Amino acid sequence: MERVFEFAVNHYILVSLFVAFLLAILVLESRRGGAKISAQGAVNLINRDEAVVVDIRDRKDFNEGRITGAINIPLNSIKSRASELKKFKDKQIIVADKMGQHSAMAVKQLKAEGYTNVVRLNGGIADWKGSNLPLVKK
């Protein structure tokens, strides 16, 4: 461990650049996909009828279990089917995927289509299940 400190002292410019790049990557990644909402925060909005959930998983995963009232628009067709959400423009749109990895792309595409009130479900459906929240099966 003392060799790490010795390296840091001897190469302080290199270590400073590494820390700066690391911080820059963390900041950019946290802002990349827009705002996140927790599963409990999503439940509160859904129960007050202030939000609609857009599930971007494929039809097979969607049919295995979905959030009540969710609309299924797969990620690869979100741009062409974005007009289906026009009636929900005044509500919060919550984008959910399997594990929260691809929802940032969907949020970005929806914002490009003019939807401003769009957030992603933090952790996706996996986090929803982990919180013991119900899923509807078809």
Side-chain angles (χ1 to χ4, degrees), residues 7-22:
F7 178 84
V9 170
N10 290 336
H11 304 285
Y12 64 91
I13 294 174
L14 185 63
V15 172
S16 299
L17 286 173
F18 175 74
V19 170
F21 284 131
L22 188 64

Side-chain angles (χ1 to χ4, degrees), residues 33-52:
K36 298 178 191 173
I37 190 167
S38 68
Q40 195 56 51
V43 168
N44 291 339
L45 287 175
I46 293 166
N47 286 344
R48 291 191 313 234
D49 199 32
E50 295 175 4
V52 62

